[in-house]
Amino acid sequence: MAALIDAARAADCPFRIELVLSNDPAAAGLKTARAAGIATFARSHIGMKRAEHEAVFDGELRAAGIEWIALAGYMRLLSPGFVTAWKGRIVNIHPSLLPRHKGLDTHARAIAAGDAEAGCTVHIVTPELDDGPILAQARVPILPGDTPDMLAARVLTQEHLLYPRALADLARLPGNTA
């Protein structure tokens, strides 16, 4: 999220970050967003049914006039109903070269599989986990002796470069505003 905020500050950036939402009121990203002058909203999902929690978030997004959602560090699955309500307007970054290694523990799984490379993928969110049209990917070699943490650090560097660029490319498409 911080990389997206930094990118949005550039005069030629075609997207703006208007609101940062979190299901964790203590999330560090909220403080980062507030320091950048961006509106924030947090509501814990604990004790709420998924549909209730998503309805609260949906209401906040619509009240703020949000047109696109860029997931960054949001680690809860979105329901098919929420994804359908925002069909084609939710973007995610995933730390693997999709369609390989959907879900969690992607770096360990890539190493265990003997993959020569790993990376990250920006994609449009669909109701299926880590699925949907791929917008961009960045590749990182898996080096001899790599641990999941070592690989994760190199992939994260690429995520911070790729996500803002992919969102900017998406925002520049005819008919899109982000």
Side-chain angles (χ1 to χ4, degrees):
M1 184 204 57
L4 297 178
I5 290 172
D6 288 344
R9 289 181 179 141
D12 63 343
C13 184
F15 65 83
R16 295 181 323 277
I17 299 177
E18 300 287 339
L19 177 64
V20 171
L21 298 177
S22 178
N23 65 314
D24 178 2
L30 295 168
K31 184 177 178 182
T32 301
R34 284 186 209 108
I38 298 168
T40 63
F41 178 83
R43 174 76 48 90
S44 175
H45 62 276
I46 297 171
M48 295 181 79
K49 293 183 180 185
R50 183 174 303 275
E52 292 172 321
H53 189 258
E54 289 179 350
V56 170
F57 273 23
D58 184 71
E60 291 295 321
L61 291 163
R62 293 185 190 281
I66 302 302
E67 296 179 27
W68 288 85
I69 299 170
L71 301 174
Y74 192 76
M75 298 301 292
R76 283 180 51 87
L77 294 177
L78 296 169
S79 72
F82 185 88
V83 173
T84 299
W86 288 87
K87 184 177 181 175
R89 297 182 293 145
I90 305 173
V91 182
N92 185 42
I93 188 157
H94 181 73
S96 80
L97 295 173
L98 292 176
R100 292 185 60 76
H101 309 301
K102 296 178 179 185
L104 301 174
D105 302 318
T106 59
H107 308 299
R109 290 170 44 217
I111 292 168
D115 293 352
E117 59 186 4
C120 51
T121 303
V122 177
H123 66 98
I124 299 291
V125 174
T126 62
E128 295 76 33
L129 175 67
D130 295 327
D131 199 47
I134 292 172
L135 301 175
Q137 291 184 314
R139 298 175 181 280
V140 173
I142 297 177
L143 304 175
D146 257 348
T147 66
D149 288 342
M150 293 164 66
L151 180 57
R154 289 199 316 282
V155 170
L156 183 62
T157 298
Q158 291 304 309
E159 287 183 46
H160 291 171
L161 299 171
L162 182 68
Y163 207 3
R165 188 171 63 239
L167 287 181
D169 290 346
L170 183 62
R172 287 185 183 107
L173 290 175
N176 283 350
T177 58

